[in-house]
Amino acid sequence: MAAEVQPRPQARKPGLLSKIEAFQEVVSAAVIIPKEDGVISVSEDRTIRVWLKRDSGQYWPSVYHTLPTSSSCMSFNPETRRLSLGMDTGSICEFLLSEDYNKMTPTSTFQAHQGRVSVVLFVLEMEWLLSTGQDKNFNWLCSESGQQLGTYRTAAWVSGLQFDVETRHAFVGDQSGQVTILKLEQESCSLVTTFKGHTGNVTALCWDPVQRVLFSGSSDHSIIMWDIGGRKGTAIELQGHNDKVQGLCYASHTRQLISCSSDGGIVIWNMDVTRQETPEWLDSDSCQKCEQPFFWNFKQMWDSKKIGLRQHHCRKCGQAVCGKCSSRRSTIPLMGFEFEVRVCDSCHESISDEDRAPTVTFHDSKHSVVYMHYEPTTGNLLTSGADKVIKLWDMSPVVS
């Protein structure tokens, strides 16, 4: 009797809901309007557009407004329908959207920076407007009066900003790869700490106020999870991208991290697992397995009459090893290595098939992502690409 062939289950993946095109230039920022089938976008062509979904299923602009200069970033508060735009000139322009999203009224303009505004963030609870610019200043001002409340000079221009309302902590990521934590008061701030784990500039930050965990993405292709609430200084490295990380968001109800990169990759990370810190790389003048000297160890090479070898490191134990003693490769998902990395031969033997089980799913957006936004109430993801196209995705098949 012939065996019955069972169909292979289809891998769950994001569903492409819609594309929004007709842009002259790249969309620098965009947000999904919660409880509405709509999108707000700002583009390098100096336009603000509000797109609403029509009965045909297509998105058409209900608002089309041309700015005097390009907008580099935006912050939208759906409760107040307040739209804050950071401009190339260093100013912040604010608009109020009507209830039906068919009209947009200018309300105020603040001169916040001497250079291009890199991030703007409106905090309704404090009535604060936080902003950073290429002038290396982090500012916060009263959103009602426009009065500047304080400023902090950063080490490099800032490319990532998050704020925790409960503790009034601001998380600032800059182009040097450093993340700075500041405690904000009404008219002053204090430096809490700084930490650096990236070899490239910080490109995205994401804060989870429930678990009190900060995620930072970088041009070095990596993501680091910083345990702020645990106060143990734990930093978990996540390696699952082949290009610059362009966006991060966290679905706290399912404990899943969503990240996008310049090569179009969308990665869904399961953070509801016990992850391990990567070990410190150990220093040694000879291989810590076979004791062969490394090439700079002239004395041992002379004494043993052996040619020095190149130094490598095992990603699992951190030991300094030669190429012969680390000839194997393996994924180590619980350490964040979703791609195969160098491990010493003994560590390779200790890694079981269960240990190699992936903790992520990989998806291709089929465009080079420059910006992303996740709306948790709808479960939809927005990606803006270098191809001047916005794509809307249904993430419920993979974020659940």
Side-chain angles (χ1 to χ4, degrees):
M1 181 178 178
E4 182 180 355
V5 178
Q6 297 289 341
R8 295 182 63 183
Q10 296 294 311
R12 297 188 301 169
K13 61 181 181 180
L16 181 61
L17 297 173
S18 188
K19 292 182 182 181
I20 303 177
E21 303 182 59
F23 294 100
Q24 298 299 314
E25 299 291 342
V26 172
V27 174
S28 51
V31 295
I32 298 169
I33 305 172
K35 300 180 182 178
E36 295 280 344
D37 281 329
V39 168
I40 305 171
S41 67
V42 293
S43 170
E44 296 290 343
D45 62 10
R46 299 188 293 116
T47 62
I48 311 171
R49 306 186 206 192
V50 180
W51 305 81
L52 297 181
K53 191 175 183 180
R54 308 304 184 185
D55 293 339
S56 64
Q58 299 297 311
Y59 284 81
W60 291 93
S62 62
V63 173
Y64 186 107
H65 180 79
T66 302
L67 297 161
T69 60
S70 294
S71 173
S72 49
C73 54
M74 68 186 294
S75 176
F76 176 65
N77 183 264
E79 294 179 47
T80 60
R81 301 185 307 282
R82 182 176 189 147
L83 180 65
S84 307
L85 300 180
M87 311 298 291
D88 277 355
T89 58
S91 62
I92 298 173
C93 299
E94 295 210 307
F95 298 84
L96 184 64
L97 292 166
S98 61
E99 287 189 31
D100 60 4
Y101 290 96
N102 284 310
K103 184 180 179 181
M104 186 174 69
T105 305
T107 56
S108 53
T109 299
F110 312 115
Q111 188 61 42
H113 295 275
Q114 297 301 311
R116 185 184 194 190
V117 181
S118 54
V119 187
V120 63
L121 184 61
F122 173 62
V123 183
L124 176 61
E125 296 85 349
M126 321 297 300
E127 293 188 345
W128 284 354
L129 198 58
L130 312 182
S131 65
T132 61
Q134 291 189 353
D135 58 3
K136 302 182 183 179
N137 283 337
F138 163 62
N139 298 334
W140 66 106
L141 53 83
C142 174
S143 60
E144 298 304 311
S145 66
Q147 178 185 357
Q148 182 167 306
L149 301 175
T151 186
Y152 180 86
R153 184 77 171 172
T154 57
W157 73 269
V158 175
S159 42
L161 175 64
Q162 293 281 280
F163 183 72
D164 182 62
V165 173
E166 183 182 347
T167 63
R168 298 190 182 186
H169 282 146
F171 305 96
V172 181
D174 64 40
Q175 292 285 295
S176 73
Q178 178 174 284
V179 178
T180 302
I181 302 180
L182 302 171
K183 170 79 174 204
L184 300 191
E185 302 297 344
Q186 187 64 27
E187 296 183 359
S188 65
C189 77
S190 55
L191 175 63
V192 177
T193 188
T194 61
F195 39 81
K196 186 171 182 179
H198 293 290
T199 57
N201 55 291
V202 175
T203 53
L205 289 179
C206 177
W207 169 247
D208 173 28
V210 178
Q211 300 293 325
R212 308 200 64 76
V213 167
L214 180 73
F215 299 94
S216 62
S218 172
S219 60
D220 64 11
H221 311 175
S222 74
I223 300 165
I224 297 179
M225 181 183 79
W226 308 91
D227 181 10
I228 307 296
R231 300 175 183 270
K232 296 178 181 178
T234 305
I236 304 295
E237 191 173 346
L238 305 174
Q239 298 282 357
H241 286 286
N242 290 311
D243 210 331
K244 177 170 66 172
V245 177
Q246 291 284 53
L248 296 170
C249 55
Y250 186 68
S252 57
H253 62 294
T254 60
R255 298 195 67 180
Q256 288 172 287
L257 178 71
I258 306 171
S259 58
C260 292
S261 57
S262 293
D263 61 359
I266 301 176
V267 181
I268 316 297
W269 305 80
N270 177 16
M271 302 309 297
D272 195 20
V273 293
T274 303
R275 294 187 176 272
Q276 306 164 21
E277 279 192 286
T278 52
E280 294 282 345
W281 283 5
L282 302 177
D283 293 326
S284 179
D285 290 329
S286 56
C287 175
Q288 294 181 295
K289 295 296 181 180
C290 69
E291 299 184 352
Q292 284 270 70
F294 294 132
F295 65 82
W296 62 83
N297 189 351
F298 299 113
K299 184 178 186 304
Q300 189 176 342
M301 283 193 293
W302 179 264
D303 293 343
S304 61
K305 301 296 188 291
K306 292 179 179 177
I307 297 174
L309 304 176
R310 183 183 174 189
Q311 183 191 55
H312 301 282
H313 283 92
C314 172
R315 300 311 192 266
K316 189 173 189 299
C317 68
Q319 287 191 319
V321 289
C322 67
K324 184 179 179 181
C325 294
S326 58
S327 59
R328 312 294 290 276
R329 302 291 183 274
S330 177
T331 59
I332 320 175
L334 293 181
M335 280 188 170
F337 296 114
E338 295 291 341
F339 303 141
E340 289 192 341
V341 291
R342 180 186 296 273
V343 292
C344 66
D345 293 352
S346 56
C347 281
H348 189 273
E349 295 299 321
S350 70
I351 301 173
S352 65
D353 289 341
E354 185 178 351
D355 294 333
R356 293 188 178 93
T359 63
V360 304
T361 57
F362 297 96
H363 311 281
D364 185 5
S365 69
K366 298 190 184 302
H367 67 167
S368 175
V369 177
V370 297
Y371 188 85
M372 66 169 277
H373 174 250
Y374 176 67
E375 174 46 53
T377 59
T378 61
N380 291 343
L381 178 75
L382 176 153
T383 59
S384 166
D387 55 0
K388 306 174 187 177
V389 174
I390 289 176
K391 294 184 179 182
L392 293 169
W393 306 88
D394 176 13
M395 301 301 289
S396 58
V398 288
V399 181
S400 60

